[in-house]
Each structure stands twice: as C-alpha cells, then as structure tokens.
Amino acid sequence: MPESKPPRLLSRVLGTVERVGNALPEPATLFALLALFTLIASAIAQAVDLSVAHPATGETISAVSLLNLAGFQKIVKETVHVFVNFHPLGVVIVCLLGIAVAEKAGLIGAAVRALVLTTPRTWVTPIVVFAGVMSNLGADVGYVLLIPLAATIFHAVGRHPLAGLAAGFAGVSGGFSANLLISAIDVILAGLSTEAARLLNPEYSVTGLANYYFLFISTFIVVGAGTWVTHKVVEPRLGPYTGNVKPEELIPLSAAEKRGLLFTAVFAVLTVAFFLLGVLPAEGFLRNPAYPELMMRSLPFSYLVPFLFAIGFGSGLAYGFGAKTIKSDKDVVGAMNDAMGTLGAYLVLAFFAAQFIAYFNWTNLGLIFAVKGAGALQALGLDQWPIPMMIGLVILAAIINMLVGSASAKWALIAPIFVPMFMLLGFSPELVQAAYRVGDSVTNVITPLMAYFPLIITFARKYDSQMGMGTIIATMLPYSVAFMVAWTILLIIWMLTGLPLGPSAPLYL
C-alpha cells in the first residue's frame, strides 16, 4: 500500500466531510428525517406556487404538497407498494440467492485466491476499476456482485477492504457512462436525443453508437483516474485495516478446489454457448419478442437478474459437486437461508430510503429544480463560448444527478432545452448528449439519492460496524472530483480536435 499521505488541506477537507456526515443520525433515521423534510418542503413549495413549464410539452409542472389529506392517503396507500417495488430490493435479493450458493460452496473464495495468486499486485486496482466500468453492461450486477468482491480481493492481498470497495464503487457507479461496448442505456438516451433534435429537424436521428468513440476512450480515463485516487488518496487516508474480519488465506489451491474450478469452467463454457445460440441468430430463443430485430434488447440484456441467479446458482453447484463441498440439497437451501439472514440491516435501510425517494418524486421538486437550473444556464448567454457552455452543462448534469436518480429521466427533461439550443449554435445533439453523460456519472458515488447507496453502506459495515454515511461520502468524494476534472478535460480536447464522437456522429452540424 502506498506510504505517501494525501495533501494536508485535502485531508482536512475530507476529515470535515466525514465528521459532519457521521455526526448525522443512523442512515435509516436520516432517510426517515429526509422524508419528513420533503413533506414540509412540498407544502411550502405548493403554497408559494412553485412551478415550471415542461420544456418539451409546455405542460405546467407544479409542486405537489404531501402535507394534506390527499398526500396522507397516497402515503398510506403506497407505503407497502413503494417498498416492495424499490428497484434495488428485488435485484439484491434474487442475485444474492444465487451468489449465496457459490459463496457457501467455496467458489468465490477459491476464485479470489486464484486471481490474487496469478495477478501482479500492481494490477489489482486497475482491474477492479475496469471490471466495475464493464459491469454496467449487466445493468446493476456490479453493485451486487463486484463491489463486495472488490473489498474481498483487496483484503486478501493485505490492503484495506474499504479501499477495494471504494475502487469497485467508483468503477461501477462513477464510471457509469464509460464502456468498451454498447449497452441498453446508449440506445435509450439516443432515442431521447432524437426526439429533442426533431423539435428543430424532423429528419434528424441519433443512433446508439452516437458517443461510442468518446465513451471507449473514457473507459481508460476512468480507470486511470480511479487507480490514481485509490493509491494516492484513499488508501493512505484509510491506513491499515484493523478490524476483526479475517482475509482469505492465500494458500495454494488444493486438488479438490482445482477440480471444482474445472467443473465451474465447463459450466461457464456451456452457459456462454447457451447465450450465444439464443441471442446471435435473428430468431434465437432468447430474443425479446417485443424487439426481435435488436440483439441488445434480448432477454439476457433486458431481464438480466433471473439469468444472474441461474449463473450464480449453477456455478455454485458445479463447483460444489467438483470440490465435494455440496453433499445434498440441505447445503444449498442452507446457503440461501444464511444469505437472507444477512440482509436484515439492509431491508430496514431500504424501507426508509424507498419512502424518501418516492416522496421526493411525487412532489415534483426534483423536476422543478432541474428545469430551473437548465434555464439559469441558458440565461447566462454564453453563445460565443461553446466550451464554457459545455462545461456548464456537465456541472448542471452533475448537480441534477444529486436530485434525480434516473439517467433517462433527467435527459428526458433537459434534452428538449439543450439539444435544440446547441443545434442553433451549430453543435450536434451527439455532443450535447456526451457532455450530459459526463456530468450524469461523476456524482453517482456521492449522492444518497442513488438507489444503491444504502447497499454500499451495508457492504461497508461488514468491515466496520460503525461505518456512517459521512465516511462513505468522504471516501468517494476524491473519485467524484477526479472523474469530473479528467473527463471534462477529455471532452474539451475532443471539442478542440474535432474528432467524431462515434460512427457518423460529428461534433458540429
């Protein structure tokens, strides 16, 4: 682990953020208080008639008070529905049921040791960050699987497990928009950009490959910045780990473990063949009937969670049979029972987080602030300064991301403002979309409104039961700043050089 200390001023700033954050109540209590504050704020906002016009439809978006009889009835009716339909809840539970079998069988421990024993330690951090970035192809799998695994890997090589958790979180969430391949979010955002562009040009079309070149290079920028922050800031600040959780012992794999990994490899090959046969043919059995012509809308991409359960379950069984660590169905069911037993604290946290996020959405406060912020940026009138305007868009998207979680929801709201505005200045919708995606990614790791933030706290408390929200935010803040700076510089260089952002995706009209 690096011995150099972060600059004294930076240490003081992060220390202050951590102390203030940890001085707040328990995260579950904090979310409950935020929900209460939202109720009060909604009443005040409605009383002063806070509203904006929707930039695309012209429809008035008004603040909705929940501190009245109608609001009370809505809260009572929707409380259970909001909790049960909290997006991360189902993902976490279903994925962990499958992963639990792999963990109980010993697959994860053996795989971590095999990875650590064969990988130079200097490569551990960039591999973790890179894997986090690439995991976004699988929707939310990185949050559930990669982040805790990154902590385990760092712990196994004698480094602070929370540094591994931070590096994994930075890649998965902070690097959300970067990737070497095209994912579903690329197609979704391109569709919204197309609709916004057609407000001026009915023939304009933005493809899912619109930002591919830029995001491909961005992957290496995120990995480099994430590695630097981990080594130079996060690890020196955390210091050595002194908790009670013991690391995986780096002993050579036994014959039984090697046989288990061989069985798992065979299962992996068969699984890949199954997916390829189902996805590649135009009439493959895994193609989505609603979008038969789009491979990226196939069932494994659109409904990944059941497949992740099957992969975790199947690989665990394969390893268990090979290593003889699973002897009956009792071992399998017992593993699942144990996994559910560890989720108690997360369920409590998720309940209050789900209510707060739902209340905030019902009040329209996030949407109103987003439109007003966009209007303020437009009113600056920097028509002759395109680069500062793009930087302003990055900053605005980063701020809005602290209030509205969904990338597509935010873009649906502000694209009709900025895409036509910049088109009139000669800049392409593809460039505006790229600037938005930079800002939309970099603050994911520091906003409690991000749906998986409660899960990150739960993972961290495995290694430090006193872990608070302030420590998480202080740990992740350097990543957010580094990604913002490095990614914005890349965008500026791209604009200065005039390189296309993707196939047939120029910077200028």
Side-chain angles (χ1 to χ4, degrees):
M1 187 174 64
E3 297 180 357
S4 59
K5 296 293 182 183
R8 185 173 300 175
L9 177 60
L10 176 60
S11 296
R12 284 203 297 266
V13 170
L14 296 179
T16 300
V17 171
E18 181 174 5
R19 285 191 299 273
V20 171
N22 288 342
L24 296 172
E26 274 284 305
T29 306
L30 181 60
F31 280 118
L33 292 173
L34 287 172
L36 178 61
F37 174 78
T38 300
L39 298 181
I40 298 171
S42 71
I44 297 173
Q46 180 173 290
V48 300
D49 195 26
L50 184 65
S51 63
V52 294
H54 193 289
T57 65
E59 179 186 357
T60 299
I61 303 173
S62 300
V64 177
S65 174
L66 298 178
L67 207 61
N68 51 34
L69 180 59
F72 172 74
Q73 292 177 342
K74 183 175 182 65
I75 290 170
V76 171
K77 291 176 182 178
E78 298 291 337
T79 295
V80 175
H81 178 80
V82 164
F83 177 51
V84 173
N85 289 276
F86 186 48
H87 176 67
L89 190 62
V91 174
V92 170
I93 291 176
V94 174
C95 286
L96 285 185
L97 281 174
I99 294 168
V101 178
E103 184 174 12
K104 188 71 172 181
L107 170 60
I108 292 179
V112 167
R113 282 165 43 219
L115 174 67
V116 170
L117 289 168
T118 57
T119 303
R121 297 197 176 191
T122 55
W123 284 95
V124 169
T125 304
I127 287 175
V128 163
V129 180
F130 176 75
V133 173
M134 295 302 296
S135 73
N136 288 311
L137 286 171
D140 302 322
V141 61
Y143 291 102
V144 181
L145 178 59
L146 181 81
I147 292 174
L149 185 60
T152 301
I153 292 172
F154 268 53
H155 200 18
V157 298
R159 297 166 66 180
H160 203 298
L162 294 182
L165 182 145
F169 187 23
V172 171
S173 200
F176 173 72
S177 282
N179 216 293
L180 299 183
L181 301 172
I182 297 299
S183 65
I185 191 63
D186 295 287
V187 178
I188 293 170
L189 294 182
L192 295 171
S193 298
T194 296
E195 293 300 317
R198 287 180 177 177
L199 294 173
L200 283 184
N201 183 351
E203 303 299 323
Y204 204 96
S205 180
V206 180
T207 72
L209 293 169
N211 298 147
Y212 178 64
Y213 299 156
F214 178 73
L215 299 182
F216 185 97
I217 300 300
S218 297
T219 302
F220 301 100
I221 299 297
V222 169
V223 171
T227 300
W228 185 88
V229 170
T230 303
H231 289 169
K232 300 298 183 181
V233 180
V234 173
E235 285 192 280
R237 183 171 177 275
L238 288 173
Y241 178 65
T242 57
N244 298 322
V245 178
K246 301 299 181 184
E248 287 282 342
E249 293 187 43
L250 295 180
I251 58 177
L253 297 175
S254 66
E257 289 173 321
K258 291 179 180 178
R259 186 170 59 251
L261 290 177
L262 177 61
F263 277 40
T264 306
V266 172
F267 172 79
V269 171
L270 294 176
T271 300
V272 170
F274 172 80
F275 282 125
L276 293 178
L277 289 174
V279 169
L280 290 182
E283 297 182 356
F285 56 88
L286 291 179
R287 288 290 181 110
N288 191 333
Y291 306 96
E293 74 285 359
L294 298 176
M295 186 176 70
M296 292 306 295
R297 289 293 187 96
S298 299
L299 295 182
F301 297 100
S302 301
Y303 305 98
L304 183 64
V305 174
F307 291 97
L308 289 177
F309 166 79
I311 291 170
F313 186 87
S315 60
L317 286 182
Y319 180 87
F321 290 147
K324 301 189 183 304
T325 55
I326 291 181
K327 298 180 174 58
S328 71
D329 63 306
K330 293 181 179 179
D331 295 326
V332 177
V333 176
M336 293 182 175
N337 289 338
D338 292 343
M340 292 302 98
T342 65
L343 281 179
Y346 172 69
L347 293 178
V348 173
L349 195 57
F351 173 79
F352 291 105
Q355 306 307 317
F356 163 57
I357 293 173
Y359 296 175
F360 196 76
N361 289 335
W362 294 342
T363 63
N364 286 337
L365 292 177
L367 300 180
I368 291 171
F369 293 149
V371 174
K372 285 188 174 295
L377 181 60
Q378 188 176 16
L380 292 176
L382 300 176
D383 296 359
Q384 303 303 315
W385 303 91
I387 289 179
M389 282 290 282
M390 284 296 171
I391 295 174
L393 177 56
V394 170
I395 295 171
L396 176 65
I399 294 171
I400 294 176
N401 192 42
M402 303 285 285
L403 301 172
V404 184
S406 169
S408 56
K410 291 192 294 289
W411 190 230
L413 192 69
I414 65 175
I417 299 174
F418 288 108
V419 169
M421 182 181 77
F422 279 101
M423 287 178 71
L424 292 172
L425 297 175
F427 294 91
S428 71
E430 290 86 348
L431 174 59
V432 183
Q433 179 181 284
Y436 163 75
R437 298 190 71 175
V438 171
D440 180 60
S441 289
V442 297
T443 50
N444 277 338
V445 293
I446 58 172
T447 172
L449 277 176
M450 198 270 293
Y452 283 95
F453 204 87
L455 183 64
I456 304 304
I457 296 175
T458 302
F459 288 148
R461 286 188 168 180
K462 172 183 176 180
Y463 300 98
D464 181 357
S465 61
Q466 303 302 312
M467 178 65 62
M469 187 179 294
T471 303
I472 297 293
I473 293 176
T475 301
M476 301 310 301
L477 185 58
Y479 291 104
S480 185
V481 173
F483 288 175
M484 170 74 85
V485 172
W487 223 336
T488 303
I489 290 174
L490 177 65
L491 180 64
I492 292 171
I493 293 173
W494 219 279
M495 292 180 68
L496 292 174
T497 57
L499 294 171
L501 292 157
S504 301
L507 292 170
Y508 311 103
L509 296 177

